Amino acid sequence: MTSPRVEINLGKIQANARYLVRRLGARRISVTGVTKAVCGHPDVAEAMLEGGVTGLADARIKNVVRMRQAGITCPISMIRAPLLSEMEDVINSCDTSYNTEMATILKLGVAANKQGTSHGVILMVEMGDMREGILQENLNDFAARVIATPGVALEGIAANFACMDNVAPTSDDIARLSGLADQVEGACGPVVDLVSGGGSANLPWALGDVSTGRVDNLRLGEAILLGTDPVTGHPITGLHTDAFTLFAEVIETSRKPSPVPTMSIAPELGMLNLVRNDDLRARTILAVGQQDTDAGGLMFPPGTAFIGATSDHTVVDSAKAAVPVGSEMKMGMNYSALMRAMSAPDVAKIVHGKQKMNGSAKDREAHPFLTLV
């Protein structure tokens, strides 16, 4: 079988989505499935939908187009601010988009008017993550300008947490976001239909026993795909953590001495490190590297330790047991490793599980490593 490859268990993705949809639904919170880490893979998107998510979201228009061409018709949002060079495609393929710049919203309105339609706008508010967001003190005026813009319709507000600062939101943060929704409606009327409180980092709060306020939506990617909390990296109780598995072939295995103790520079750390000097160890080289995934985000079998990686090689310490050349090593992935592997053209994607849709011929031609079993 082709190597390296990512094997995808659709049943586990569907089960994760269903579990979260059920738990959050009891709190009156809907779930939007985020597909950006899998490059809008249509079968993964379909598994999320079969698990009950109310819509999908992605950060790149080519991923959205890929899903549309595969026959997915559910609401899809652009969660990264649309590029001015992609206005027509965004209007064609996305029902809504998350925005922070009036110049972008004006262009969306013009493009929507040309196509005889209206485009939904959700305003991203700065809540402390310091990535994208409208300052809270400017939100009312900004919302009023959106409402007055032809071709677009204000549908709600949203926030990001733990994307840049890796700090999970508190109940006070969520209460503040709810207050902002009330504030906008006090100034502009009943225009806030959606209050999207963030992503997978919000789950400890959302599944707790505190008030959800006006937050009625979460955008979930990592929790559905990997079953992990993005802040701690810990598994989330009740979710599968092995829906995605990376396989790579062994191309060399031998016992080698560690280098003589010396001082070496680690460029990525900018500091001196002392190289260990162990006895002869079984070193295994895998035919996968930084060009294929984030090697530092791989999880290896017990008894195997990561040593390092270059563009096309990953070296691991397999302790005293040599791994045969030509065999494969099975690895788990964190979110960064998954995202890189799914976007790498030389990493095959093998899908397991019942599917409603097998993708169009055009989609297969554009993605030759997509295999269904």
Side-chain angles (χ1 to χ4, degrees):
M1 191 173 282
T2 304
S3 177
R5 69 183 182 278
V6 174
E7 296 199 4
I8 305 167
N9 187 311
L10 296 180
K12 292 181 178 181
I13 296 168
Q14 181 181 340
N16 283 355
R18 185 183 296 114
Y19 177 86
L20 291 167
V21 166
R22 178 177 60 81
R23 291 286 308 275
L24 291 169
R27 306 271 283 161
R28 298 184 179 181
I29 297 175
S30 66
V31 176
T32 297
V34 179
T35 56
K36 62 182 182 179
V38 295
C39 301
H41 194 299
D43 293 299
V44 175
E46 188 69 23
M48 289 182 173
L49 291 167
E50 290 174 356
V53 303
T54 57
L56 301 171
D58 209 292
R60 303 196 179 210
I61 191 61
K62 67 177 182 179
N63 296 342
V64 179
V65 171
R66 179 185 181 188
M67 290 188 283
R68 292 301 193 202
Q69 289 178 343
I72 293 176
T73 59
C74 74
I76 301 182
S77 299
M78 177 62 60
I79 53 173
R80 184 176 70 177
L83 306 184
L84 297 185
S85 59
E86 296 175 342
M87 290 291 136
E88 300 295 330
D89 288 336
V90 170
I91 299 300
N92 274 330
S93 300
C94 301
D95 301 87
T96 59
S97 59
Y98 288 66
N99 288 272
T100 61
E101 289 287 344
M102 200 64 217
T104 303
I105 294 170
L106 291 171
K107 290 285 188 180
L108 286 168
V110 171
N113 280 331
K114 284 183 180 179
Q115 297 185 31
T117 187
S118 178
H119 182 74
V121 168
I122 298 170
L123 299 181
M124 188 68 73
V125 187
E126 175 56 64
M127 297 293 294
D129 190 56
M130 300 305 289
R131 198 176 70 177
E132 81 275 30
I134 300 162
L135 295 179
Q136 296 173 34
E137 58 267 30
N138 297 335
L139 184 59
N140 285 2
D141 290 343
F142 201 104
R145 292 180 67 190
V146 174
I147 293 168
T149 301
V152 298
L154 179 60
E155 294 190 356
I157 64 173
N160 272 330
F161 296 98
C163 290
M164 289 288 289
D165 63 8
N166 206 39
V167 176
T170 65
S171 297
D172 289 342
D173 293 326
I174 302 303
R176 192 152 40 99
L177 182 62
S178 294
L180 289 171
D182 292 338
Q183 175 185 300
V184 169
E185 291 199 325
C188 303
V191 293
V192 182
D193 293 329
L194 180 82
V195 181
S196 186
S200 297
N202 291 61
L203 285 173
W205 159 80
L207 297 177
D209 57 3
V210 296
S211 171
T212 57
R214 290 197 56 176
V215 172
D216 56 7
N217 174 263
L218 288 181
R219 311 177 302 277
L220 302 182
E222 182 168 347
I224 295 176
L225 299 172
L226 296 177
T228 53
D229 183 323
V231 175
T232 65
H234 296 158
I236 299 172
T237 302
L239 299 183
H240 296 283
T241 58
D242 57 350
F244 295 83
T245 306
L246 178 66
F247 291 83
E249 187 171 330
V250 175
I251 58 175
E252 178 184 310
T253 182
S254 58
R255 298 190 186 281
K256 296 183 179 181
S258 294
V260 176
T262 184
M263 299 301 288
S264 66
I265 297 289
E268 69 278 9
L269 300 178
M271 59 188 292
L272 291 175
N273 287 315
L274 185 65
V275 178
R276 290 188 325 178
N277 181 27
D278 294 330
D279 296 331
L280 290 177
R281 308 282 294 185
R283 284 198 171 202
T284 297
I285 301 179
L286 305 173
V288 67
Q290 300 288 24
Q291 191 166 274
D292 308 298
T293 188
D294 177 0
L298 298 177
M299 290 161 276
F300 298 94
T304 303
F306 176 68
I307 294 177
T310 58
S311 59
D312 300 300
H313 302 77
T314 295
V315 182
V316 297
D317 181 338
S318 47
K320 302 299 182 182
V323 183
V325 171
S327 63
E328 290 187 323
M329 187 168 288
K330 176 180 177 181
M331 295 159 280
M333 295 176 283
N334 68 9
Y335 191 78
S336 176
L338 173 67
M339 189 165 46
R340 294 256 295 269
M342 290 300 293
S343 64
D346 293 327
V347 177
K349 286 77 181 177
I350 309 297
V351 178
H352 297 277
K354 182 180 178 181
Q355 302 148 70
K356 283 185 175 179
M357 114 190 126
N358 292 328
S360 65
K362 186 174 182 181
D363 185 63
R364 289 179 178 283
E365 183 179 351
H367 303 277
F369 296 104
L370 172 63
T371 305
L372 305 174
V373 296

